[in-house]
Amino acid sequence: MSANLNNSKILNKLDNILIIGSGGRENSLAWIIEKNELVKKIYIIPGNAGSEKIKKCKRINLDIYDKKKLINKLQFLDINLIVIGPEDPLSKGLGDYLRDNDFNVFGPGADGAKLESSKSWAKEFMNEGNIPTAKFWKVNSIDKAKEIIFSSPDPLVVKADGLASGKGVFIPNSKDECLEATKSILNGKFGDAGQIVVLEEKIQGPEVSVFAICDGKRYLLLPTAQDHKRLNENDEGPNTGGMGAYSPTPLITKSYLERIKKEIIQPTIDGLINKNIEYRGVLYFGLMITQSGPKVIEYNCRFGDPECQTIMPLMDKDFVTFLQKCAMGKLIGNEEIKISNKVSGCVIATSRGYPNDYKTGFKIKFGETDNEDLQIFDSGTSLNKNNETVTSGGRVLSIVCQDSDFDKVFEKAYQNLSKIDFEGIFYRKDIGHQVRTKYKKER
Ligand code: AMP
Ligand code: GLY
């Protein structure tokens, strides 16, 4: 069991919130949390150049792994709720440590984060709970891998077991490529994250993202989304951290969602409870909708990026109270999260060269953008010595719009995006093609 979970302070105060992370995801969380009038101050460690543009938000420059300093600072700031964004600190047990020190934390302990930090652990977990997923083999030697790859009648996918910043999955085109990818991982391409390789049956179908916020026993669902992982239009090119997203996705009807709940979500919650893992945070189900039904491609222990930026503007100002209830183990389970009846879309502006090498440090011209139902969340930006916002990452800005239909959403997103500029700006023009009339007609 994650340590000291029962010890959470019984607080309803939401004066001071802390968010850990530095991307567009964390800025979108700050943006929705800020809307609640009970919230007085949002601290973000470390945030980025866009964070302090969000009302009530203040960045703190502190090493989150300097635990003593961190606790002293958070006690001094009288933090009521901590939201941990990225998987890395979660898998290293930051959630446990903060809970041990009596903070309310939205984010699982290292035990629950294993769903993301060890793919073989997650696959075994799914097998134990009869949760539909692709068949798999766990290997730690090249000989064993060879045997499996060359005796398999079907194509396989190769995955490094541990966290590899989204780069640890290979979809080979031949058995030789499959073996090469396995060798490179086992020979240290991803360091310790590649001591074990998971070989997986290659399955097919559209991918969707489903998010459940959990309090350890119960859960509530957020709107579904579809991410665009490939770099180029027509979903071609290398995998990236996500070039855009839209929400909700019509691929998941109400009745299909019931099926996902029954076959995947509830068995996952039950499996965690059976293992004495009190999971307080968001469970991100990366699903493939196959001909034989939904299958789990991966679990993540955090909000997806750019799905989070896409979904948060559909939330109500009370959203933060649900995060707090999860952190305190106090969901009832039948609460209704208020969700806008609009739809939302997000386009990511990247630095040319991403997801491989790219240059940073270019000044960003934001132009005259609208502000109604439009958010620009900084994803990878920093301030230069003249206090100007410059690019500092591969994924630079998340441009998010809401409207009554997806055609309007993306028209507005691209219109606003055309006013934004920085050297080497690159973005896909077909984000949301699954739900835009223009692309439906072309098909
Ligand atoms: P992951 O990091 O596990 O989400 O994998 C990255 C991407 O690889 C997924 O979004 C899928 O597009 C693809 N992928 C992963 N596992 C499989 C699989 N078993 N079959 C087909 N494609 C997969
Ligand atoms: N959108 C994919 C991810 O966050 O991993």
Side-chain angles (χ1 to χ4, degrees):
M1 154 121 47
S2 309
N4 213 17
L5 279 170
N6 298 323
N7 235 358
S8 301
K9 284 190 262 180
I10 309 299
L11 282 177
N12 284 314
K13 267 174 71 178
L14 278 170
D15 292 4
N16 299 311
I17 314 287
L18 171 74
I19 299 173
I20 292 175
S22 63
R25 169 180 52 204
E26 287 74 22
N27 283 336
S28 70
L29 287 165
W31 181 89
I32 190 63
I33 290 173
E34 179 277 318
K35 304 227 171 292
N36 192 296
E37 53 282 346
L38 293 175
V39 174
K40 297 206 173 89
K41 198 97 202 158
I42 302 168
Y43 298 95
I44 178 156
I45 305 179
N48 61 35
S51 303
E52 291 190 352
K53 286 190 247 168
I54 300 164
K55 277 187 239 155
K56 305 179 192 170
C57 229
K58 185 171 165 34
R59 293 175 70 185
I60 301 179
N61 187 9
L62 199 112
D63 176 6
I64 52 169
Y65 297 112
D66 188 340
K67 291 180 174 171
K68 255 195 159 153
K69 250 197 191 154
L70 178 66
I71 295 295
N72 283 342
K73 184 81 181 174
L74 302 190
Q75 283 168 346
F76 174 75
L77 295 173
D78 190 20
I79 297 295
N80 306 120
L81 172 68
I82 300 170
V83 181
I84 303 178
E87 63 279 17
D88 202 49
L90 290 167
S91 70
K92 291 185 174 136
L94 187 65
D96 302 305
Y97 182 74
L98 292 168
R99 270 189 278 267
D100 282 346
N101 282 275
D102 234 7
F103 288 98
N104 287 318
V105 182
F106 182 86
D111 52 5
K114 261 190 135 175
L115 283 177
E116 177 166 359
S117 66
S118 169
K119 290 195 188 285
S120 61
W121 191 87
K123 295 296 280 189
E124 280 159 3
F125 174 90
M126 286 185 257
N127 273 4
E128 284 168 26
N130 280 322
I131 297 165
T133 187
K135 269 190 280 176
F136 81 104
W137 296 262
K138 177 178 169 181
V139 297
N140 58 7
S141 81
I142 293 167
D143 284 346
K144 178 93 181 129
K146 224 184 223 168
E147 202 185 304
I148 292 163
I149 294 166
F150 287 97
S151 64
S152 165
D154 304 309
L156 300 178
V157 172
V158 185
K159 300 184 175 183
D161 186 55
L163 295 177
S165 312
K167 294 188 178 141
V169 175
F170 295 83
I171 319 276
N173 289 315
S174 66
K175 286 182 186 287
D176 286 335
E177 258 184 55
C178 189
L179 183 62
E180 280 317 302
T182 309
K183 275 186 189 165
S184 74
I185 299 173
L186 288 175
N187 287 337
K189 188 178 167 102
F190 300 109
D192 284 352
Q195 283 183 358
I196 295 174
V197 162
V198 172
L199 295 170
E200 244 179 64
E201 166 203 17
K202 186 173 174 184
I203 55 176
Q204 271 174 349
E207 290 177 55
V208 295
S209 307
V210 175
F211 300 93
I213 56 169
C214 315
D215 80 337
K217 292 188 183 64
R218 290 156 295 258
Y219 72 90
L220 298 173
L221 288 181
L222 302 186
T224 57
Q226 215 177 0
D227 179 17
H228 297 59
K229 290 190 203 278
R230 301 295 197 99
L231 179 67
N232 298 321
E233 276 148 44
N234 295 318
D235 294 320
E236 287 169 0
N239 258 327
T240 70
M243 298 296 288
Y246 72 88
S247 170
T249 168
L251 273 173
I252 302 188
T253 58
K254 248 188 163 169
S255 66
Y256 205 80
L257 189 60
E258 287 308 312
R259 179 170 181 187
I260 292 171
K261 277 158 80 173
K262 187 160 160 262
E263 293 179 15
I264 293 174
I265 301 177
Q266 194 57 53
T268 301
I269 304 282
D270 294 343
L272 290 167
I273 294 172
N274 284 341
K275 287 193 179 302
N276 275 334
I277 296 173
E278 199 162 2
Y279 194 105
R280 295 186 182 182
V282 62
L283 257 171
Y284 164 173
F285 300 84
L287 305 180
M288 203 172 253
I289 307 301
T290 72
Q291 279 187 340
S292 58
K295 292 192 177 176
V296 178
I297 284 281
E298 62 165 351
Y299 287 116
N300 291 310
C301 61
R302 54 176 173 82
F303 286 107
D305 183 324
E307 292 98 320
C308 189
Q309 295 95 301
T310 316
I311 293 171
M312 286 308 125
L314 298 175
M315 298 290 115
D316 174 81
K317 65 182 170 53
D318 284 345
F319 184 63
V320 64
T321 63
F322 293 104
L323 298 179
Q324 191 194 39
K325 281 185 180 184
C326 289
M328 295 173 71
K330 291 203 172 299
L331 278 185
I332 297 166
N334 61 1
E335 296 100 323
E336 242 182 65
I337 300 185
K338 274 190 223 144
I339 293 164
S340 159
N341 53 16
K342 292 184 178 167
V343 298
S344 184
C346 167
V347 182
I348 300 284
T350 66
S351 304
R352 190 171 297 280
Y354 170 79
N356 301 312
D357 294 339
Y358 53 84
K359 290 191 180 136
T360 59
F362 299 117
K363 217 171 120 178
I364 301 174
K365 188 181 117 225
F366 283 92
E368 279 288 309
T369 45
D370 298 340
N371 45 41
E372 198 184 331
D373 284 342
L374 169 93
Q375 305 80 33
I376 298 171
F377 297 121
D378 288 35
S379 289
T381 64
S382 61
L383 293 173
N384 67 11
K385 57 181 188 309
N386 300 324
N387 228 20
E388 296 161 326
T389 300
V390 295
T391 63
S392 69
R395 286 133 60 85
V396 179
L397 297 173
S398 313
I399 288 82
V400 192
C401 288
Q402 300 77 47
D403 214 314
S404 53
D405 67 53
F406 285 114
D407 286 335
K408 289 186 191 143
V409 160
F410 285 102
E411 195 188 316
K412 189 156 64 178
Y414 285 111
Q415 225 171 49
N416 280 285
L417 197 41
S418 69
K419 298 175 198 159
I420 296 172
D421 200 19
F422 55 83
E423 199 173 315
I425 187 170
F426 173 80
Y427 53 88
R428 273 179 65 165
K429 312 254 181 343
D430 67 341
I431 299 298
H433 60 81
Q434 300 90 332
V435 286
R436 289 165 68 186
T437 315
K438 174 177 163 194
Y439 292 91
K440 281 186 200 154
K441 276 195 194 137
E442 280 171 16
R443 249 179 241 137

